[in-house]
Amino acid sequence: MGKRKKWKRRFVLLAAVLLLAYIAACNILVNVALIPETMEKLQAFEDLTEEGMEALVRTDDILENQAESRDETKEWLEAADSELLNVTTEDGYRLVGQVFYQPEGSAGHKWVLLLHGYTGWKEEMYPIACRYAKEGYQILVPDMRCSGESEGDFIGMGWTDRLDNLLWLELILDKDPEAKIALHGQSMGAACALMMSGEEELSGAVRAVVADSAYTDAYRMFAKQMREWAHLPAFPLLPGASLMLKLRGGYSLREASALEAVRETALPVLFIHGTEDVFVPPEMSRELYEAAAGEKEILMVEGAGHVQVQDKEPELYYGTVFSFLEAHGIR
């Protein structure tokens, strides 16, 4: 009897140690994937970032178009009428955004909310903002929570951001009650725009969505990255990390689903993806396109990597975007 009790105690102790180790590992995964301050301290994150940059397509035409776009954007920014604004979320975080106005006397009611990607910042979207400005749009480009100048606890993967960005829409409508608004996002920003499109509270002023390199849901994206970049299986760590995120950050990775949102939206959506995207599989945009309930188009561009369609085929990219938006009421 004594030996049996002894082994039972050892088993319980071992199980407790393993459980605590599992919980710790799940929390570490959340920290290194969704808290920028932790991410920036890790050599592994630097290595992954470097690998990611190397994975982008670097053909001569892409590099030349990028350089031309940078010069054009720099010239536009020097003369642009802009203002730095902020809003406060329901959970008390200050978010920062830059608004670009049309010259006085020429402003219409066309607006776009531009949304950056995972670990990105608003300035990354300025080349696209430049092209929108030339088409007569007024533009709002926020740093989403935990990014750039905005506060936050965890990167929202589009899910917490979908509600944060409703505040920016309210700000646009305060400035222009007749605004006709497009949502245009890249990568995580594209997934966020799609998640916003499924919200009942979304203003009717939003007329269309441009989703460039969107993922279907955050859980599948992290499973892919764990497998391909960290060489780890998703199970058993990812389910536990998703649960820890729910307890600590208020949402789970499975909740952050653009796929579920597009099944509910009536908004027209333009999906864009490069065929050489190694971050977000092009098949995800195809899956989203098939699931979308409203009017929809899809543009797949050969030879473009992650969020590189505007650099591979700029005239096709912007021509398709502005034709789509005009066709759906943003004139």
Side-chain angles (χ1 to χ4, degrees):
M1 258 327 256
K3 285 187 177 180
R4 187 176 297 176
K5 287 184 178 180
K6 187 175 182 181
W7 279 108
K8 186 176 180 180
R9 284 196 298 270
R10 287 180 178 177
F11 177 80
V12 170
L13 179 60
L14 178 60
V17 170
L18 291 174
L19 178 60
L20 289 173
Y22 175 70
I23 292 172
C26 291
N27 276 301
I28 289 171
L29 180 57
V30 170
N31 292 348
V32 301
L34 295 169
I35 301 179
E37 289 182 1
T38 303
M39 298 160 71
E40 291 166 2
K41 295 175 183 176
L42 298 175
Q43 181 61 43
F45 179 71
E46 292 184 17
D47 293 341
L48 288 175
T49 301
E50 187 174 336
E51 286 182 38
M53 293 300 294
E54 290 174 357
L56 291 174
V57 179
R58 295 182 179 276
T59 53
D60 288 344
D61 57 342
I62 286 177
L63 295 175
E64 288 170 7
N65 289 330
Q66 285 176 336
E68 184 177 335
S69 179
R70 280 195 299 269
D71 292 343
E72 185 179 30
T73 302
K74 181 179 179 182
E75 182 179 352
W76 168 67
L77 286 171
E78 288 173 353
D81 178 12
S82 67
E83 181 182 8
L84 193 67
L85 302 173
N86 65 82
V87 294
T88 302
T89 67
E90 287 188 1
D91 49 354
Y93 293 115
R94 177 178 174 269
L95 306 180
V96 176
Q98 194 81 26
V99 63
F100 294 94
Y101 302 105
Q102 285 293 315
E104 189 174 351
S106 66
H109 300 293
K110 298 192 296 187
W111 284 81
V112 62
L113 182 67
L114 289 178
L115 305 175
H116 64 75
Y118 173 71
T119 70
W121 51 90
K122 60 184 178 300
E123 286 80 5
E124 290 181 343
M125 303 301 289
Y126 285 0
I128 296 177
C130 175
R131 294 297 291 261
Y132 268 98
K134 292 190 174 187
E135 294 294 323
Y137 284 75
Q138 303 194 86
I139 305 123
L140 202 156
V141 194
D143 281 324
M144 291 196 279
R145 66 166 59 201
C146 247
S147 301
E149 298 178 76
S150 290
E151 300 173 346
D153 44 9
F154 300 92
I155 293 173
M157 296 308 297
W159 187 246
T160 51
D161 309 295
R162 84 195 194 287
L163 299 180
D164 293 345
N165 289 328
L166 296 181
L167 300 173
W168 292 118
L169 295 179
E170 290 176 10
L171 189 148
I172 289 174
L173 290 169
D174 284 344
K175 290 182 173 294
D176 181 4
E178 297 180 60
K180 301 173 183 177
I181 306 170
L183 306 179
H184 185 144
Q186 290 193 315
S187 193
M188 185 185 82
C192 177
L194 295 174
M195 292 175 203
M196 291 173 68
S197 77
E199 284 298 305
E200 292 183 2
E201 297 85 357
L202 187 68
S203 169
V206 176
R207 302 297 179 88
V209 177
V210 179
D212 180 350
S213 310
Y215 51 75
T216 51
D217 63 87
Y219 191 93
R220 284 168 62 184
M221 273 308 303
F222 275 105
K224 174 186 180 295
Q225 299 304 337
M226 287 179 68
R227 181 175 63 252
E228 296 182 3
W229 297 88
H231 309 293
L232 292 171
F235 185 83
L237 279 181
L238 195 56
S242 185
L243 175 60
M244 290 301 110
L245 179 61
K246 181 70 173 179
L247 295 173
R248 295 170 58 190
Y251 79 99
S252 73
L253 295 175
R254 291 191 187 277
E255 283 181 298
S257 174
L259 190 61
E260 292 302 316
V262 296
R263 288 176 175 145
E264 303 295 329
T265 186
L267 284 174
V269 183
L270 170 62
F271 297 94
I272 300 174
H273 221 117
T275 62
E276 302 302 313
D277 192 336
V278 299
F279 292 97
V280 179
E283 292 74 20
M284 286 192 168
S285 274
R286 293 192 184 98
E287 187 176 351
L288 287 162
Y289 173 80
E290 292 298 329
E295 295 184 55
K296 54 194 175 182
E297 291 183 24
I298 187 166
L299 174 65
M300 306 294 290
V301 173
E302 297 288 335
H306 188 57
V307 297
Q308 286 188 307
V309 175
Q310 78 274 14
D311 298 320
K312 180 68 177 177
E313 297 282 359
E315 297 313 311
L316 175 61
Y317 183 91
Y318 291 109
T320 303
V321 166
F322 295 126
S323 294
F324 179 82
L325 296 180
E326 183 175 355
H328 291 95
I330 304 182
R331 299 181 176 88

